[in-house]
Every structure is written in structure tokens, then in C-alpha cells.
């Protein structure tokens, strides 16, 4: 009985499925396809990129180690920006190809001019932020003298138009530890730690703010500083250690002096083999100080 009933039900199911899949009778009209009429949509033109506000560069102070430029913003704790093109290096830098305005914000007021050359070398600056066409860069200039405001001396930045730069980069980083009296050099392939010969004294300390290699390589044989790599920072306790240039620039350099430890005027003294390595670091390489 159960087998007969099951057989009957299967036969009925086959008939139903077969009927459902059977073709429509010949000559039956096809269902019409309804196409909705096009709906016009108003399209707004893309917003134009605003041109940089005009600035009279000839009337502005120059951002370099020889000048003091008030009104520049700090770095807000920002460090080097990762490069958009790793082929150029891990960290983004910008080479200035024409004098350009240093602005307090993207498309903001111009307070200074960033020159093509800084102390006769191409101006190469670490990039710490980007907003469209605008690059925020670290600067090698003082915002105030130490006697005016030590907190404004170093760590200055500005926004510049990327159209006035060419993209560059560096894979190097350098860290000075004044407590351990060491300098750590990472060239992107290896990290090496060396002892320093000396760093700043307690009353004339090495500035503990991010600096960068300006790109200046000085050879001064016969002096107490035979080879010098200029840093972007200056002393935060001395207005003009150098009475000729009226600056107090810091640097990484070799020395003939015998003092060891925290005895310098703020510079970082190293042995020749250390400077041999650092001599290869690109301009715009960031140098931090801890300890």
C-alpha cells in the first residue's frame, strides 16, 4: 500500500515538473520588455584647484640658518612622512626647485620665503604632512632667539606648494642619545650603534627636538672641527656663538679636542669612521635626540 502510494506521488510530481518546464504554445506573444525613459541628471563641474594666494617673495625674510623668522608654526609633534614612492626612500623629502612662499597653513598667509639654495646647497626638506598640493616641511631656520623665547628657536615648519618642488626621499634615520653617549645610524639596510665623542654640556645642551641634515658638508682641515655635517637646529641657550654669522648652529662633526661626554656647545662630536658613514646620508635625513 505504501509502495503504491509513493509510486503514485512520484508520477504526479514528474507530471507537474514536466508541465512547468513545457514550452509555451506555438504562436503565443512574447511578454513586452519595458524600458524606463532616461532621467536627466544635472552634473556640477569639478571644483577648480585654487591658485596659491599671491605673495611678494622679495619682501619676505628667508628661511635659512642665517635668519630669524617669527610667526612660523611648530611641527605639532609630527615626524617624517612615509614616502608615496618607496623607490625614492622610506621617508618623503622635497627639493625646492624655485623660491617658494612659506605659509602658516595650506593656501594660508605667507610669512617667509623658502629659497632654492641653503648655504649654497640645494634646499632639501623633510615632509611631515600633505594636504592636496600643499606640503608641510621642516625648516632650517630659527623662530626666535634664545634670549627672546627658547621654545620658538627650533622645530619650525611651513606649508609650501608642491609645484615648486621635486619629490625626493631618504631611507636613513639618525638618533643621538646624550645619556648613553651613543649615535644610532640606520641607513635603511642595517642599524649600527656607535659611541659619540661628546654632546652638549648641561648649560649648553644639544637641542632635544627633531633636526635634519641640511646637506652642507664642510671640510676645515687644521681646525678643531675638520669635517662638519650641518644640522637644522641651533643652540637654545646662545644667541650667537659664531660672532661672524651671528648664529649658534649645531652640527655632527669630528674634532681634535680631547674633552669627552657632555662638554660641547651643543654639537655632536664623533669619530672619523662614524662621519665616514654619515657623510653618505642624503640631505633631509631626520636626526632625533633623546636622553
Amino acid at each position: 500500500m505504501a509502495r503504491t502510494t509513493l509510486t503514485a506521488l512520484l508520477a504526479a510530481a514528474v507530471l507537474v515538473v514536466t508541465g512547468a518546464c513545457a514550452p509555451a504554445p506555438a504562436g503565443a506573444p512574447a511578454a513586452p520588455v519595458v524600458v524606463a525613459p532616461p532621467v536627466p541628471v544635472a552634473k556640477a563641474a569639478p571644483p577648480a584647484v585654487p591658485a596659491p594666494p599671491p605673495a611678494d617673495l622679495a619682501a619676505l625674510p628667508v628661511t635659512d640658518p642665517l635668519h630669524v623668522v617669527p610667526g612660523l608654526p611648530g611641527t605639532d609633534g609630527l615626524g617624517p612622512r612615509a614616502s608615496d614612492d618607496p623607490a625614492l626612500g622610506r621617508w618623503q623629502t622635497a627639493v625646492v626647485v624655485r623660491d617658494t612662499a612659506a605659509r602658516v597653513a595650506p593656501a594660508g598667509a605667507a610669512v617667509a620665503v623658502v629659497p632654492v639654495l641653503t648655504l649654497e646647497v640645494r634646499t632639501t626638506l623633510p615632509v611631515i604632512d600633505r594636504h592636496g598640493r600643499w606640503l608641510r616641511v621642516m625648516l632650517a631656520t630659527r623662530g626666535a632667539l634664545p634670549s627672546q623665547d627658547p621654545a620658538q628657536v627650533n622645530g619650525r615648519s611651513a606649508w609650501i606648494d608642491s609645484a615648486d618642488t621635486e619629490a625626493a626621499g631618504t631611507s636613513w634615520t639618525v638618533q643621538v642619545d646624550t645619556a648613553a653617549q651613543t649615535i644610532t645610524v640606520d641607513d635603511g639596510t642595517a642599524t649600527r650603534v656607535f659611541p659619540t665623542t661628546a654632546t652638549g654640556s648641561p648649560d649648553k645642551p644639544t637641542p632635544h627636538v627633531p633636526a635634519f641634515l641640511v646637506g652642507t658638508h664642510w671640510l676645515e682641515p687644521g681646525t678643531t672641527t675638520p669635517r662638519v655635517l650641518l644640522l637644522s637646529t641651533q643652540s637654545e641657550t646662545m644667541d650667537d656663538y659664531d660672532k661672524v654669522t651671528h648664529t649658534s648652529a649645531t652640527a655632527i662633526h669630528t674634532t681634535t679636542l680631547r674633552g669627552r661626554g657632555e662638554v660641547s656647545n651643543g654639537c655632536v662630536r664623533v669619530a672619523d669612521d662614524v662621519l665616514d658613514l654619515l657623510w653618505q646620508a642624503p640631505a633631509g635625513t631626520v636626526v632625533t635626540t633623546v636622553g
Side-chain angles (χ1 to χ4, degrees):
M1 178 66 181
R3 180 178 296 176
T4 302
T5 303
L6 179 59
T7 301
L9 291 174
L10 287 172
V14 169
L15 288 173
V16 170
V17 172
T18 304
C21 297
V33 177
V34 179
V35 178
V39 178
V41 177
K43 296 182 179 181
V49 177
D56 182 4
L57 300 185
L60 296 174
V62 178
T63 59
D64 67 14
L66 301 175
H67 293 86
V68 177
V69 183
L72 291 167
T75 61
D76 295 325
L78 296 172
R81 183 178 186 271
S83 178
D84 295 324
D85 182 0
L88 297 176
R90 290 189 298 174
W91 312 110
Q92 183 179 1
T93 61
V95 179
V96 178
V97 297
R98 64 184 64 86
D99 290 354
T100 188
R103 302 179 186 274
V104 297
V111 296
V113 56
V114 180
V116 171
L117 298 179
T118 297
L119 301 181
E120 301 182 352
V121 300
R122 296 183 74 188
T123 300
T124 304
L125 306 171
V127 177
I128 59 175
D129 199 3
R130 178 162 198 157
H131 183 75
R133 69 187 291 165
W134 300 99
L135 302 176
R136 190 175 186 180
V137 295
M138 296 171 62
L139 298 173
T141 196
R142 292 188 285 185
L145 295 175
S147 59
Q148 298 168 332
D149 187 351
Q152 297 289 317
V153 172
N154 294 311
R156 300 300 93 194
S157 74
W159 291 89
I160 62 175
D161 189 349
S162 61
D164 294 330
T165 71
E166 64 182 28
T170 176
S171 291
W172 293 62
T173 56
V174 180
Q175 184 179 84
V176 176
D177 189 328
T178 58
Q181 288 293 294
T182 59
I183 184 168
T184 301
V185 182
D186 181 352
D187 65 359
T189 62
T191 302
R192 282 162 278 191
V193 182
F194 305 93
T196 59
T197 301
T199 57
S201 64
D203 61 333
K204 300 171 184 175
T206 301
H208 279 51
V209 296
F212 62 91
L213 298 178
V214 174
T216 303
H217 297 65
W218 283 325
L219 296 173
E220 300 177 341
T223 70
T224 58
T225 58
R227 297 161 68 200
V228 179
L229 288 177
L230 184 66
L231 295 173
S232 60
T233 49
Q234 299 195 39
S235 172
E236 295 171 355
T237 60
M238 297 179 293
D239 283 358
D240 55 355
Y241 170 76
D242 187 326
K243 300 302 181 182
V244 176
T245 62
H246 300 290
T247 64
S248 294
T250 59
I252 302 174
H253 62 77
T254 57
T255 186
T256 59
L257 299 174
R258 296 183 178 181
R260 295 293 184 269
E262 297 179 335
V263 297
S264 80
N265 287 320
C267 290
V268 180
R269 303 175 188 169
V270 297
D272 279 293
D273 61 332
V274 180
L275 209 61
D276 287 341
L277 176 61
L278 288 172
W279 212 254
Q280 306 170 49
T285 293
V286 171
V287 180
T288 56
T289 300
V290 299

